[in-house]
Amino acid sequence: MALPAKKQFKYWGIAALIFSIVMWSLGDVLLPFVLGAAIAYLIDPIADRLETMGLSRAASTAVIVVLSMLVFLLALLIVVPTLINQMIDLTETLPKAFRDLRAFAQTHFPSLFTEGSRAQQTIASIVGTLQGKGIELVEGIAGSAASLLNVLVLFIIVPVVAVYLLLDWDRMIARVDELLPRDHAPVIRRLMAQIDAVLASFIRGMGTVCLILGSYYAITLMIVGLNFGLAVGFIAGMVTFIPYLGALIGGALAIGLALFQFWGDWWSIGIVGAIFAFGQVIEGNYLTPKLVGNSVGLHPVWLLLALSVFGALFGFVGMLVAVPLAAALGVVARFLVEQYLDSRLYQGLEHPALQQKDES
């Protein structure tokens, strides 16, 4: 006999509460395991494809590990040093660029800097806020990455966790399926399949889009001759998963640097702007529809809300699990709407069950 709905809500509510407490209290400890699980989930389809080609699960995992190590070593030798140097130089150059911009504005728009004016107070307030946030960000990064041992442990544990989870992924899914409540197993399987479809479309698809656009921006900006082109492309590609934000941040940064570097050479500045405009056209009309699809169901506002809420509650780990939880909540919300539309609460006396009862 199935448990009453009231008791089921009670037990599942307690489980959700325990999960939230564990996430909040052990966020830093769980970080490498969450990252490892995310990596295993992302590359599981590759292992499945290799299995269909005749390899065993262990052999498929070994092939993926060897190829990943080769790609990582290649990036570590070629791309990463240049990227790190450009990021460091960029952080040193931006303050000088802001000072030059302020001097330019003082020369051409002196009213903005009149002592006691509203514009001057607003600018001072914005600058003070940005400086305060910058200090907080630096302190947070320094506090979280102060220990080299923690960083080394992260780089060691994450690959190990990812390899073990990838090796046992199918067995784990089968075991979880065996533990589902029998009365609700068909519905849970259907919902989980929908959640997996959303995540597969969004995370894997948007990950590919971010990689393609980041590479495109970095290569084209370096060809144009823009300083820090690799760093700007990396930043733009990294935040492309939030629609328009990647092009907005990357474009503003690239055009600002182009104005600083190519002032007077309007042709080069126009090319930098055209690079991001073309990137947006390609992303909106080809990459996103082709690789992500139009039925993912993760609205940009919903995604931003999830990232903000889970990031504030659970820190960086919360931001990592924000997208899967947002996808799950979206699927569950659509399921509840379907149940509501098929219920007596919505249909009233015209509900099919009532009509069949009256006919009988």
Side-chain angles (χ1 to χ4, degrees):
M1 180 177 178
L3 286 174
K6 185 176 181 179
K7 285 190 175 182
Q8 292 188 36
F9 277 115
K10 176 183 176 181
Y11 292 141
W12 288 115
I14 292 173
L17 179 61
I18 294 174
F19 175 78
S20 300
I21 293 174
V22 170
M23 284 285 296
W24 181 75
S25 59
L26 299 177
D28 294 336
V29 177
L30 294 176
L31 176 59
F33 299 94
V34 173
L35 285 173
I39 294 173
Y41 172 78
L42 289 174
I43 60 180
D44 176 65
I46 301 177
D48 293 338
R49 181 66 61 87
L50 291 175
E51 283 188 281
T52 59
M53 295 170 60
L55 295 178
S56 65
R57 187 70 178 189
S60 302
T61 303
V63 170
I64 293 173
V65 169
V66 171
L67 292 177
S68 300
M69 290 179 63
L70 291 176
V71 172
F72 176 77
L73 290 175
L74 185 64
L76 190 63
L77 294 174
I78 299 176
V79 179
V80 174
T82 304
L83 177 61
I84 293 175
N85 291 332
Q86 288 199 9
M87 293 293 287
I88 294 173
D89 294 340
L90 180 61
T91 57
E92 295 175 352
T93 302
L94 284 179
K96 184 178 184 301
F98 280 119
R99 287 194 298 270
D100 292 346
L101 180 62
R102 181 183 177 88
F104 176 83
Q106 284 178 328
T107 302
H108 294 82
F109 308 99
S111 60
L112 293 177
F113 299 90
T114 303
E115 189 65 29
S117 66
R118 185 179 298 273
Q120 193 270 343
Q121 294 175 357
T122 302
I123 293 174
S125 175
I126 294 173
V127 171
T129 301
L130 291 176
Q131 288 177 343
K133 293 295 184 182
I135 293 173
E136 291 179 5
L137 179 61
V138 171
E139 290 177 348
I141 293 174
S144 61
S147 174
L148 179 61
L149 180 61
N150 290 338
V151 177
L152 292 176
V153 168
L154 187 67
F155 276 96
I156 293 173
I157 292 180
V158 170
V160 173
V161 172
V163 169
Y164 275 108
L165 289 181
L166 180 63
L167 188 61
D168 294 329
W169 191 267
D170 292 338
R171 287 196 292 269
M172 288 190 304
I173 297 300
R175 180 58 179 163
V176 170
D177 184 77
E178 293 175 359
L179 297 176
L180 294 178
R182 295 297 93 185
D183 290 341
H184 306 294
V187 175
I188 295 176
R189 291 192 191 105
R190 179 164 64 90
L191 292 178
M192 294 305 296
Q194 294 176 7
I195 293 171
D196 179 67
V198 171
L199 288 178
S201 298
F202 185 81
I203 296 181
R204 295 176 184 135
M206 282 307 301
T208 306
V209 172
C210 290
L211 181 61
I212 293 174
L213 280 181
S215 302
Y216 159 74
Y217 289 138
I219 293 172
T220 52
L221 291 176
M222 287 191 295
I223 291 175
V224 171
L226 181 70
N227 294 333
F228 319 112
L230 180 61
V232 173
F234 173 78
I235 294 171
M238 188 171 59
V239 294
T240 295
F241 74 96
I242 303 176
Y244 308 112
L245 192 59
L248 183 63
I249 294 177
L253 184 59
I255 293 174
L257 291 171
L259 289 172
F260 180 70
Q261 179 181 345
F262 302 124
W263 182 259
D265 185 2
W266 305 111
W267 177 251
S268 297
I269 297 172
I271 291 177
V272 172
I275 286 173
F276 279 87
F278 182 72
Q280 274 298 285
V281 171
I282 294 298
E283 178 197 355
N285 293 282
Y286 181 76
L287 290 178
T288 300
K290 195 79 172 178
L291 298 175
V292 181
N294 299 317
S295 59
V296 171
L298 278 178
H299 194 277
V301 176
W302 175 243
L303 181 61
L304 285 172
L305 177 63
L307 289 170
S308 301
V309 171
F310 289 110
L313 291 176
F314 308 113
F316 185 69
V317 176
M319 297 185 69
L320 288 177
V321 301
V323 173
L325 289 178
L329 291 175
V331 170
V332 172
R334 287 191 290 272
F335 171 74
L336 293 177
V337 170
E338 292 176 1
Q339 297 300 306
Y340 165 70
L341 294 177
D342 192 44
S343 67
R344 293 176 58 183
L345 179 62
Y346 174 76
Q347 298 192 16
L349 297 177
E350 297 182 357
H351 193 276
L354 290 178
Q355 292 179 353
Q356 291 178 2
K357 183 177 180 180
D358 293 339
E359 291 176 358
S360 62

